[in-house]
Amino acid sequence: MNEKQRFTEELCKETELKDGEMRQFEVQGQPILLVKHNGTFSAIGSKCSHYGAPLIKGALVGDRVRCPWHGACFNVKTGDIEEYPGLDSLPCFKVSVENGAVSIVTSLKELASQKRIKHMSTHSPNDRSTIAIIGTGPAGLVCAETLRQEGYGGRIVMVTRDDHMPYDRTKLSKAMGTNASDIYLRPAEFFAENGIEVWTSKEVVDVQVDDSRIKFRDGSLLQYSQLLIATGSRPVAPTCPGSNLKNVFLLRTPEDANAISEIVVNRNVVIMGSSFIGMEVAAYLSGKASSVSIIGRSSVPFQAALGPKIGELAMKLLQDQGVNFHMNTEAREIRGDGGQVSEVILRNGVQIPADVVVAGIGVTPVSSFLKGYKVAVDRRGAIYVDEFMRTSVPGVFAAGDVVTFPLAMMEGHRVNIGHWQMAHSHGRIAALNMLNKHVPLNSVPYFWTSLLGKSIRYAGYGEGYTEIIMKGNLQDLKFLAFYIKDDCVVAVSSMNFDPVVSQIAEIMLSGRRFTKKEVLKEDFMDLGISI
């Protein structure tokens, strides 16, 4: 059969699917997802365009399905991506219903496509406007792509101090040692084809908002019509004595990740910080280094975000791989021999042999180039934006880790959230409002961490929670944790309990309150999760 030749293949009888049900079918060896919604059948690709998760195991709510792994959402009628992470939509197939039989009308070429890039316009020489985007992370990239998808014909210029095209920064701590080009989010030709300029190795030193102009360290200037600031955050450097010794690393770029991965083999590694980055780095290095030791200020890792029980579980997972923990303390001094690290001295007096130190003690927004101008920032340097991603200066927008924004699910409470998924959503909303679409941000925070092949998923915003209700069994590595504040669920985390986190994310997005009383019911899976 010619790969472009269209054919019809029956999938099932019309009565086999209930309304609101989805089912996966194999067509010529390729999986597709068939959905029945409001009596109408539709068929889309069955694998999430982000990391390939099987959507049949996700959460189907109305006319969209949410990925069970990382929370991306796709419209089941069009295949379009509606929530992130990931950039691409899914293929959508023609469905026919005749004589009670549901069939797909497609070709081998269509079936072989797992992803679909939405149609984009390109730069029109008649449109003399310029949208500048500082930063090439997910917020900046999604903004640029959304502008083109929505028909913007002006010039788009993305600028970064990095040497690379936009890349998947989440893999730096989970898969260290990867070639930078292997984690690029788009190939170079994508940007050329869609009229998106990407300027690498260009550091911004000044944004002259009164003149709508960006100044770079090399002295060059860029005039803009509208601006998006999506500079993200940078790691906080340690300040204790010895922090400037050789082999003390921060992790921000592929070069950092590669350098750490190469130098740790058969060496003693100390990781300052028991955050998600520190724990992921420790998990990755545990099979390479002679020893790995983690220093943390709290009693257990993840204590503030996930609670002590899950922190204990995460700590035990790594301890079983030989990782050492020094908790409730911090580094007092890093000592060296011949200018190179030799040991770390803790505040409690403990001495840890160290050939390599990796600092993961927090991040700070990258916004120092705005000092002295009208773009309002908080005391940490996070840029104030409203629900339309607008800053205090007309025509200047901001998005991603660098902003503090009103979170819809928390009734507009202002937050700064460094999630990969949320940065994508910010970029889309910024683009739509640059085009005067007047679309507010309404996205539920969703993140994940991976340790030794075990994933913890999280949705919501749990800051200030007063109680955690656990379901399942931590020892069996299968659990649900509900974070309660004012008798309502404000966040949920899980391991091996898909797709509940995605289901509850949909509940939160709908605005419905999910209560402590519902969680405590023995049959909460039936009565509390459905919407």
Side-chain angles (χ1 to χ4, degrees):
M1 185 187 300
N2 185 295
E3 67 172 10
K4 295 182 180 180
Q5 182 179 343
R6 299 183 70 76
F7 63 90
T8 300
E9 184 165 322
E10 183 177 326
L11 301 179
C12 64
K13 298 301 180 185
E14 189 175 3
T15 56
E16 289 183 37
L17 256 69
K18 298 177 182 177
D19 207 66
E21 184 181 356
M22 59 182 174
R23 190 176 300 179
Q24 183 172 296
F25 291 90
E26 295 284 330
V27 179
Q28 298 292 317
Q30 298 291 341
I32 62 116
L33 194 69
L34 183 69
V35 181
K36 187 177 183 181
H37 175 61
N38 287 342
T40 301
F41 289 91
S42 57
I44 59 174
S46 69
K47 294 182 179 180
C48 178
S49 63
H50 180 223
Y51 283 175
L55 294 176
I56 188 64
K57 296 182 178 180
L60 176 64
V61 179
D63 61 0
R64 74 180 197 167
V65 58
R66 184 181 282 262
C67 171
W69 290 359
H70 308 130
C73 295
F74 303 90
N75 188 295
V76 298
K77 294 179 179 178
T78 65
D80 288 352
I81 189 167
E82 295 185 345
E83 180 57 280
Y84 305 92
L87 299 170
D88 295 326
S89 296
L90 299 177
C92 182
F93 306 102
K94 181 180 178 181
V95 175
S96 67
V97 181
E98 294 182 9
N99 300 321
V102 181
S103 301
I104 183 173
V105 183
T106 186
S107 67
L108 293 179
K109 184 177 181 179
E110 289 178 352
L111 286 171
S113 175
Q114 298 292 323
K115 301 178 181 181
R116 174 176 57 84
I117 297 176
K118 293 178 72 173
H119 173 74
M120 297 192 189
S121 60
T122 189
H123 181 209
S124 169
N126 296 323
D127 190 333
R128 306 184 71 83
S129 66
T130 297
I131 291 181
I133 299 172
I134 306 175
T136 55
L141 180 55
V142 171
C143 179
E145 293 197 12
T146 302
L147 288 169
R148 286 291 185 240
Q149 290 164 3
E150 293 293 324
Y152 175 68
R155 188 182 181 199
I156 299 176
V157 182
M158 302 178 69
V159 298
T160 177
R161 62 181 295 179
D162 284 350
D163 300 329
H164 301 287
M165 305 299 281
Y167 60 88
D168 188 344
R169 195 179 297 275
T170 67
K171 292 186 177 179
L172 295 185
S173 57
K174 297 178 176 70
M176 305 173 77
T178 303
N179 289 330
S181 58
D182 292 338
I183 59 174
Y184 283 1
L185 295 169
R186 296 291 195 199
E189 54 267 25
F190 170 88
F191 298 98
E193 291 169 358
N194 294 289
I196 300 171
E197 299 174 49
V198 182
W199 296 2
T200 58
S201 305
K202 294 282 283 187
E203 183 180 357
V204 175
V205 294
D206 196 10
V207 176
Q208 302 164 358
V209 295
D210 289 338
D211 298 322
S212 300
R213 189 166 57 195
I214 301 168
K215 182 178 180 180
F216 299 96
R217 185 164 298 282
D218 62 11
S220 61
L221 300 171
L222 174 64
Q223 201 78 31
Y224 64 82
S225 307
Q226 294 186 89
L227 170 66
L228 176 71
I229 301 169
T231 43
S233 58
R234 58 175 173 80
V236 174
T239 57
C240 63
S243 298
N244 61 343
L245 287 168
K246 186 178 179 181
N247 292 351
V248 176
F249 291 93
L250 301 175
L251 177 59
R252 189 176 191 275
T253 67
E255 287 75 19
D256 296 332
N258 284 320
I260 294 168
S261 180
E262 290 172 6
I263 202 171
V264 300
V265 178
N266 298 324
R267 301 280 190 95
N268 298 311
V269 180
V270 172
I271 297 171
M272 297 169 61
S274 58
S275 65
F276 295 99
I277 297 298
M279 290 287 283
E280 288 176 357
V281 169
Y284 180 83
L285 298 182
S286 62
K288 292 176 172 285
S290 291
S291 69
V292 178
S293 301
I294 291 181
I295 305 168
R297 294 179 180 176
S298 56
S299 299
V300 295
F302 311 154
Q303 184 168 331
L306 301 181
K309 291 184 178 179
I310 296 175
E312 288 173 9
L313 172 65
M315 188 161 67
K316 186 177 185 308
L317 283 174
L318 268 62
Q319 285 174 328
D320 289 346
Q321 297 298 312
V323 176
N324 305 303
F325 284 84
H326 301 269
M327 306 303 292
N328 293 313
T329 189
E330 59 185 344
R332 185 182 71 200
E333 180 183 359
I334 303 173
R335 290 181 180 170
D337 183 8
Q340 185 166 305
V341 172
S342 61
E343 63 180 356
V344 177
I345 312 300
L346 304 184
R347 291 210 174 275
N348 58 16
V350 172
Q351 298 175 315
I352 310 174
D355 303 304
V356 179
V357 173
V358 181
I361 54 176
V363 295
T364 187
V366 178
S367 61
S368 59
F369 57 88
L370 295 172
K371 286 182 179 178
Y373 286 97
K374 300 175 182 178
V375 178
V377 300
D378 69 10
R379 61 183 181 181
R380 291 182 61 246
I383 301 170
Y384 286 106
V385 295
D386 62 13
E387 67 269 35
F388 305 105
M389 313 314 296
R390 300 177 299 198
T391 70
S392 55
V393 175
V396 177
F397 297 74
D401 297 8
V402 75
V403 306
T404 173
F405 67 98
L407 184 61
M409 67 163 283
M410 299 301 292
E411 299 177 346
H413 173 68
R414 189 166 286 280
V415 299
N416 171 242
I417 295 177
H419 295 175
W420 189 247
Q421 162 266 340
M422 187 59 74
H424 284 71
S425 295
H426 283 185
R428 175 178 176 270
I429 295 301
L432 293 176
N433 290 303
M434 284 176 161
L435 301 176
N436 298 313
K437 303 286 188 181
H438 206 71
V439 178
L441 178 70
N442 184 19
S443 183
V444 174
Y446 200 117
F447 79 86
W448 71 98
T449 187
S450 297
L451 302 172
L452 303 168
K454 306 293 189 298
S455 291
I456 298 174
R457 318 200 197 288
Y458 180 101
Y461 185 73
E463 184 177 285
Y465 69 84
T466 55
E467 183 181 1
I468 302 176
I469 298 175
M470 300 293 300
K471 299 279 186 177
N473 191 307
L474 286 164
Q475 286 67 40
D476 293 339
L477 303 181
K478 184 175 182 178
F479 67 82
L480 280 170
F482 295 90
Y483 302 85
I484 309 297
K485 182 179 181 181
D486 298 329
D487 286 329
C488 288
V489 175
V490 291
V492 60
S493 67
S494 79
M495 179 183 286
N496 290 320
F497 235 110
D498 294 338
V500 175
V501 170
S502 288
Q503 289 174 315
I504 293 178
E506 287 296 300
I507 291 176
M508 293 174 172
L509 186 67
S510 74
R512 190 180 84 118
R513 290 285 185 175
F514 190 54
T515 66
K516 174 182 175 180
K517 184 178 180 180
E518 289 177 281
V519 172
L520 291 174
K521 291 179 180 179
E522 291 186 9
D523 57 351
F524 82 103
M525 291 294 289
D526 294 323
L527 298 181
I529 302 263
S530 60
I531 54 177

